[in-house]
Amino acid sequence: MEERSKTESRQSDIAVFVKRKLMSLQSNPNDAAVRAILAKMRRGVGEQPGAIPELWDMLFTDLPESLEGRGSKPSRAEWAIFTALTLFALHQQGKRNLESEFMFQEKNTFGRAVAQLISRNLDDTEAIIKRFNVAVSAADLTGFSWYLRNIIQLCKREDIPIDYAALAKDLYDYQNPDWIDGVRLKWGRDFYRELSSFEHSENDGAAGMPETGSNE
């Protein structure tokens, strides 16, 4: 019970930390400074936490002690936070207005975002589902992150945001072999719930359309 409580506390700390970092970017009135920060963050995509000194501030400033690693290897929390923040920077690339084009949106989970991709690219449904299945079948965080980058590029093209605070929590859990299937289950539920919602709305819209043709 105590270990579970510690885990839930770390998950909450991860989400709060990531959200605070991203909201501080959105509220920064210096657009040039924000663009420079995001460009710097993008250089960390695919790298190991701590490997790039210019990103230490992003990762370690105000990081709760409970999330810090010990020794020469990053902690699971540091991996999750670093991956989420750098991928957000990739997602935000090319979006000038952080007020109206902010690619962080709470409750729009990874699974929901992928379903939204399908709703805007119906002809590519099979290909998107295949990408999703391949990504979530990755054996570890490194493999998953590589596939995730491709999906984020698609979301960027369609202006579909992701809840990066929730994603960071998921990335933390993804590194534990005992929890990885639970993360996949959650993503699958979110994906098919959102997809079903879209399909129902489409069917309801079609049913409500007036008949065409002559009544003569």
Side-chain angles (χ1 to χ4, degrees):
M1 184 65 71
E2 182 180 353
E3 183 60 32
R4 180 177 179 180
S5 178
K6 287 181 179 179
T7 296
E8 291 176 349
S9 177
R10 287 193 192 100
Q11 291 169 330
S12 176
D13 287 345
I14 287 169
V16 169
F17 182 82
V18 168
K19 179 181 177 180
R20 185 182 298 127
K21 290 284 183 177
L22 297 183
M23 297 309 294
S24 70
L25 286 173
Q26 188 185 39
S27 62
N28 190 332
N30 189 332
D31 292 342
V34 171
R35 288 197 297 271
I37 293 169
L38 289 169
K40 185 169 62 175
M41 289 168 64
R42 283 192 292 273
R43 289 197 282 275
V45 174
E47 299 293 339
Q48 177 173 301
I52 303 176
E54 61 183 334
L55 296 182
W56 289 349
D57 175 64
M58 176 197 79
L59 180 59
F60 298 128
T61 298
D62 298 324
L63 182 70
E65 187 176 352
S66 62
L67 304 182
E68 290 181 2
R70 301 291 183 268
S72 60
K73 294 185 178 180
S75 67
R76 289 194 291 118
E78 288 170 339
W79 266 113
I81 290 167
F82 184 83
T83 301
L85 290 176
T86 55
L87 288 177
F88 164 80
L90 177 66
H91 198 164
Q92 194 65 39
Q93 187 175 20
K95 313 295 183 185
R96 291 285 183 176
N97 190 328
L98 266 70
E99 189 64 37
S100 61
E101 299 178 296
F102 198 41
M103 293 296 103
F104 165 56
Q105 180 178 311
E106 288 188 283
K107 298 185 179 180
N108 207 51
T109 62
F110 172 57
R112 290 189 64 192
V114 177
Q116 289 158 17
L117 268 177
I118 289 177
S119 73
R120 302 183 191 185
N121 298 273
L122 293 177
D123 291 341
D124 295 329
T125 295
E126 186 175 340
I128 293 171
I129 291 177
K130 183 177 180 180
R131 281 175 185 255
F132 182 55
N133 290 343
V134 169
V136 301
S137 298
D140 54 32
L141 180 62
T142 300
F144 172 69
S145 298
W146 190 88
Y147 291 113
L148 179 58
R149 292 201 293 272
N150 296 327
I151 294 175
I152 285 174
Q153 292 282 17
L154 296 177
C155 288
K156 179 173 70 172
R157 185 185 69 190
E158 299 293 342
D159 293 328
I160 297 172
I162 291 175
D163 186 339
Y164 279 91
L167 180 62
K169 288 169 57 178
D170 292 340
L171 296 179
Y172 175 76
D173 291 350
Y174 204 89
Q175 297 170 77
N176 187 323
D178 293 333
W179 302 343
I180 191 170
D181 284 340
V183 178
R184 290 167 175 156
L185 178 64
K186 180 168 61 175
W187 286 339
R189 284 171 175 162
D190 287 350
F191 172 76
Y192 281 100
R193 187 184 304 115
E194 184 76 5
L195 195 63
S196 177
S197 174
F198 166 72
E199 290 172 347
H200 288 160
S201 65
E202 283 286 289
N203 291 336
D204 290 345
M209 291 178 63
E211 293 184 7
T212 59
S214 172
N215 292 324
E216 296 180 2

